[in-house]
Amino acid sequence: MEPMIRMASVEDAEVLLDIYAYYVEHTAITFEYEVPALEEFRGRIARTLEVYPYLCAVEDGKILGYAYAGPFAERAAYGWSAETTIYLARDVRGNGLGRKLYEALEEALKAMGILNLYARVACPTADDEYLTRNSVEFHRHMGYKTAGMFANCGCKFGRWYGMACMEKILGSHREDPVPIRPYAQQSRPE
């Protein structure tokens, strides 16, 4: 069966947090040290859904991964830019699910009027047991280009890691851009 992409909800928080917890506890993919409390994670999902899409991939009733977007920065002029994030259950990586989720996220963001996508991707100097360059390569494969690099900006597990700042342009930049439309206000089939 092919995984289905659907909107996530706060009711999915426990399963999504379980996926995320692995990355917090065992990798430097996220620079977060402690797994957030369930209520905190529910709040994160709810705040995202106020404006941006939060998607999950489901197969046979099981959530396999999720992707969402949020503001790139808070100032009004950044309104046409969004930061993207993706996490997959560790046993489903490498089978095209990440691509499917990111493509669906990209389509949702285009429908909102978002023009610029940004991803901050943890990046090791050399691959180790906590972090490899796989996330950087995934984003490159998805059409992102490296816009910059912060060297040794995060320390986790007693090691210093950099952050690749990657970008993908979705549309043309007009002098009078149409205001973005929050994803929750989009008309779409359910």
Side-chain angles (χ1 to χ4, degrees):
M1 175 181 246
E2 181 74 14
M4 171 189 80
I5 306 296
R6 68 162 171 83
M7 282 295 293
S9 72
V10 293
E11 287 78 28
D12 298 317
E14 191 170 353
V15 176
L16 301 180
L17 182 57
D18 186 53
I19 291 170
Y20 182 62
Y22 169 80
Y23 293 97
V24 173
E25 294 172 337
H26 302 285
T27 79
I29 287 173
T30 174
F31 283 177
E32 196 155 18
Y33 281 9
E34 301 291 328
V35 176
L38 182 57
E39 282 308 308
E40 163 63 21
F41 205 72
R42 281 188 180 119
R44 292 179 188 186
I45 293 168
R47 285 187 298 278
T48 297
L49 287 170
E50 289 173 5
V51 177
Y52 296 95
Y54 203 123
L55 307 176
C56 60
V58 181
E59 185 176 67
D60 295 327
K62 181 181 178 190
I63 295 175
L64 304 176
Y66 62 96
Y68 64 92
F72 170 64
E74 295 300 323
R75 304 288 188 261
Y78 293 115
W80 294 269
S81 300
E83 183 174 352
T84 59
T85 302
I86 186 169
Y87 288 98
L88 301 178
R90 65 180 183 249
D91 59 338
V92 298
R93 294 177 294 188
N95 66 4
L97 183 60
R99 170 178 278 287
K100 185 172 181 171
L101 263 171
Y102 246 30
E103 286 172 347
L105 182 64
E106 191 174 299
E107 287 304 312
L109 293 167
K110 279 184 189 176
M112 289 177 61
I114 297 293
L115 299 173
N116 309 318
L117 301 182
Y118 297 96
R120 290 181 294 165
V121 183
C123 188
T125 303
D127 289 3
D128 65 29
E129 68 269 30
Y130 301 114
L131 187 64
T132 67
R133 294 187 56 82
N134 288 351
S135 291
V136 170
E137 293 307 317
F138 167 76
H139 282 83
R140 273 203 190 105
H141 189 66
M142 293 302 301
Y144 285 72
K145 297 190 181 335
T146 302
M149 179 68 95
F150 295 112
N152 297 321
C153 64
C155 184
K156 190 169 179 181
F157 305 121
R159 298 179 186 179
W160 287 96
Y161 296 102
M163 184 71 61
C165 298
M166 303 184 79
E167 68 180 346
K168 182 175 182 177
I169 307 304
L170 294 180
S172 57
H173 296 81
R174 303 175 2 185
E175 287 183 23
D176 59 340
V178 175
I180 68 159
R181 297 162 303 285
Y183 189 70
Q185 297 174 5
Q186 302 293 313
S187 61
R188 58 190 181 276
E190 290 299 319

